[in-house]
Amino acid sequence: MVEPYYSDDHVTLHHGDALDVLAELDADSIESCVTDPPYLLGFMGRQWDTRAASDHLGWHGAWAAECLRVLKPGGYLLAFGGSRTWHRL
């Protein structure tokens, strides 16, 4: 089980791999999802930012579908993207 990184009476913050965290949440259970996924720029040689573009696009589809599953009707998704890679979102 993925434990919350922070939680109080108003917010619960999860920190971890999006697919792992989202898989443990119930459908229609959250009001917003805020994410800053990897930009695929090879940032500082980090492995998590060096996937092949075709694999990366599939990964974006997977987490977005999971966000849709767990969001309550009318919920919000805020996803950050880089100015050179926004099209991958």
Side-chain angles (χ1 to χ4, degrees), residues 2 14 18 20-30 66 69-70:
V2 178
H14 294 276
D20 294 340
V21 172
L22 290 167
E24 293 192 15
L25 300 177
D26 294 332
D28 301 324
S29 64
I30 65 172
E66 278 295 290
R69 181 186 69 79
V70 301

Side-chain angles (χ1 to χ4, degrees), residues 44-64:
M44 296 178 65
R46 303 291 182 151
Q47 182 63 35
W48 51 261
D49 202 35
T50 57
R51 296 181 186 192
S54 59
D55 178 48
H56 201 71
L57 293 174
W59 181 79
H60 277 300
W63 67 255

Side-chain angles (χ1 to χ4, degrees), residues 59-83:
W59 181 79
H60 277 300
W63 67 255
E66 278 295 290
C67 283
L68 181 60
R69 181 186 69 79
V70 301
L71 281 170
K72 292 178 180 179
Y76 291 92
L77 169 64
L78 175 62
F80 294 89
S83 59

Side-chain angles (χ1 to χ4, degrees), residues 37-42 49 56-57 60 80-89:
Y39 297 170
L40 230 190
L41 298 173
D49 202 35
H56 201 71
L57 293 174
H60 277 300
F80 294 89
S83 59
R84 293 183 293 166
T85 59
W86 62 269
H87 61 284
R88 293 188 178 132
L89 285 175

